[in-house]
Amino acid sequence: MRLLLSKRKIFSKIFLLFFLVTLLGWLTGLLFPLLFVTCFILLLWHYKHLLMLDKWLWRDKKLSPPSGDGSWRQIYDGIYYRQRKARKKNKELRALIRRFRDGAEALPDAIVVLNDDWTIVWCNKLAQQLVGLRWPLDEHQRIDNLIRNPEFQAYVQQKQFSQALELMSPVNDELTLEYRVLAYGHNQFLMIVRDITQLKQLEQIRKDFVANVSHELRTPLTVLQGYLEVMEPQQLPQAAIWQKAHTVMLEQTKRMDALVQQLLTLSRIEAATKVQFDEQVDVPAMLAMLEQEAQSLNREKQHQIEFLIEAGLCVNGITEELRSAFSNLITNAIKYTPPGGQIKVSWQRQHQKAVFSVQDNGDGIAPQHVKRLTERFYRVDQARTRATGGTGLGLAIVKHVLQRHNSKLMIFSEPKHGSTFSFSLPLEPVRAAKATKLKIKTQ
């Protein structure tokens, strides 16, 4: 229990001390010398404890107080009690700040705490990566002095934060950042910076998708409408004109039908949930059928096509989806390889996976186009794709089929050195048929 100093007790002790000294001085006839010596000793005693207090507070590293006498012991104990209480509060405060910082570091956004004069109080690591701040070097620096963008400075100065601000990252031009400022605490602001690059890309893809679908459907519809407008309701045109018009309208109708069918296929694959693939797909038999289709498609261009198929190499999956992926890659190689080229289709075992690849010696693809090939309607050469009758959805379908089968399309291409499209699937564990290699060549 902590004892409190009592004024009455202190005055009683002082009065009793000087009463005894006065009485002794009166009896001995040395009143004033005794009073002087008593005051001097009392003064020395107090200065001694003051020096002990000073040493404990400023020079001594020990936490425990010095051993004092009388009322000074209570003073030491009181200071020690206050120090211990302050240390406990500081420990709790540090833990609270640590939890706040850990929480801010765990957020997927950059966080910057600002004073009302826009000086930086604290920022998390993501703010250092996205905005280029340096902590703790930029502490107490004005945020508008570090982000030297006129739009950002105007946004901060006007103090109208109902709308977010979108700007390029000051450290990476390929990143788009969204800045939001919120009132925080007393005369403080919380700036939240979010990387919205992917959202902007998805929004642009959506706009491109709508525009491309509209364009792809408008072209054949315009052709059909033009021919129908010049035809008389009760009289067909001449045989030569009708034959040409009929051929063109049939081609455009097939083109629209192919586009709609691929859009439906893509939509169905995207909407489907992930399932357990219990169906065994006989890929060698499927590729044998696709090889026959490739022969028909190859009559005009006369490519040298080589199929290397490992017999008995089956996988689990959805037959129609995998057939669509295989067919799109083989068809693309035939369509986009110049006449007389070489195409190699392979289905081989590699460790615990089955690898499918289509390799050609065509014109190749520039690096800036490779990463966008699986986007809907993305074309490297618009005129060339239209001439081959492509819809721009084939590789998008392949991408989503492989995602459903826990795989990924790998594209290796170099201009003037051809391209290789490949992916791998886990092997079906039950079937252990003895594999033999079949080599089929078509001209």
Side-chain angles (χ1 to χ4, degrees), residues 260-271:
V260 172
Q261 290 299 327
Q262 288 198 323
L263 284 173
L264 291 174
T265 300
L266 188 58
S267 178
R268 185 182 68 252
I269 294 172
E270 286 182 327

Side-chain angles (χ1 to χ4, degrees), residues 139-152:
E139 187 178 8
H140 303 309
Q141 297 291 323
R142 287 180 61 94
I143 188 69
D144 50 350
N145 288 337
L146 300 176
I147 303 179
R148 307 294 294 179
N149 186 296
E151 293 183 40
F152 177 80

Side-chain angles (χ1 to χ4, degrees), residues 232-249:
E232 295 293 337
Q234 298 177 350
Q235 183 179 0
L236 291 176
Q238 298 178 4
I241 299 177
W242 169 248
Q243 183 177 1
K244 179 181 178 182
H246 180 270
T247 302
V248 173
M249 287 191 293

Side-chain angles (χ1 to χ4, degrees), residues 243-308:
Q243 183 177 1
K244 179 181 178 182
H246 180 270
T247 302
V248 173
M249 287 191 293
L250 184 61
E251 289 177 354
Q252 296 300 325
T253 303
K254 290 180 178 179
R255 178 180 172 185
M256 282 194 297
D257 181 68
L259 176 62
V260 172
Q261 290 299 327
Q262 288 198 323
L263 284 173
L264 291 174
T265 300
L266 188 58
S267 178
R268 185 182 68 252
I269 294 172
E270 286 182 327
T273 57
K274 288 188 175 296
V275 296
Q276 291 295 113
F277 300 125
D278 297 327
E279 178 185 358
Q280 186 183 83
V281 181
D282 190 350
V283 177
M286 180 188 295
L287 291 176
M289 295 179 62
L290 291 176
E291 187 271 334
Q292 298 298 324
E293 295 178 8
Q295 287 183 355
S296 301
L297 190 61
N298 188 42
R299 288 173 184 171
E300 182 179 348
K301 290 196 172 182
Q302 293 296 305
H303 297 309
Q304 181 181 354
I305 306 178
E306 182 180 11
F307 277 74
L308 296 176

Side-chain angles (χ1 to χ4, degrees), residues 52-115:
M52 291 171 60
L53 177 63
D54 178 77
K55 180 182 178 182
W56 176 48
L57 292 178
W58 299 106
R59 288 171 286 178
D60 201 347
K61 296 182 179 180
K62 293 190 299 183
L63 297 178
S64 57
S67 56
D69 300 323
S71 58
W72 280 100
R73 176 178 295 177
Q74 290 179 272
I75 294 174
Y76 293 156
D77 291 342
I79 295 175
Y80 175 68
Y81 171 79
R82 289 292 180 181
Q83 285 182 336
R84 189 172 59 181
K85 190 175 181 180
R87 283 195 297 270
K88 183 179 179 181
K89 289 291 184 182
N90 288 337
K91 185 178 180 180
E92 293 175 354
L93 182 60
R94 285 195 298 269
L96 181 63
I97 294 174
R98 191 182 305 112
R99 286 198 298 270
F100 165 77
R101 291 187 175 182
D102 291 342
E105 292 291 356
L107 291 175
D109 303 324
I111 304 296
V112 184
V113 181
L114 302 167
N115 285 320

